[in-house]
Amino acid sequence: MESKIEVLSTVKVQNSPDLYKIVDALNRTLKRDDLMFGLALDQDDKEKAIFTIYRT
């Protein structure tokens, strides 16, 4: 069985120490709706984070 992951939206935001808590809460709450949320540091600017919404 093949699983496709579709990127719905990506946004660059100011990094914050608690940002991962929001992503974790969204993942726990909305996984049953086939949504997944990701967070990564911007490679070019470590003060920015990239927040991505996926449909799984």
Side-chain angles (χ1 to χ4, degrees), residues 4-56:
K4 261 195 151 174
I5 297 176
E6 174 187 5
V7 175
L8 299 178
S9 180
T10 300
V11 65
K12 192 181 292 190
V13 297
Q14 188 67 33
N15 194 18
S16 166
D18 288 337
L19 201 52
Y20 77 94
K21 293 178 184 179
I22 294 169
V23 174
D24 184 55
L26 287 168
N27 278 323
R28 291 173 186 265
T29 305
L30 297 173
K31 67 181 174 185
R32 65 180 159 265
D33 295 325
D34 296 328
L35 293 173
M36 181 173 67
F37 303 86
L39 186 65
L41 280 178
D42 187 333
Q43 294 294 331
D44 299 325
D45 183 355
K46 300 299 182 190
E47 293 184 13
K48 300 284 183 180
I50 300 172
F51 175 73
T52 307
I53 303 172
Y54 303 93
R55 182 174 310 283
T56 60

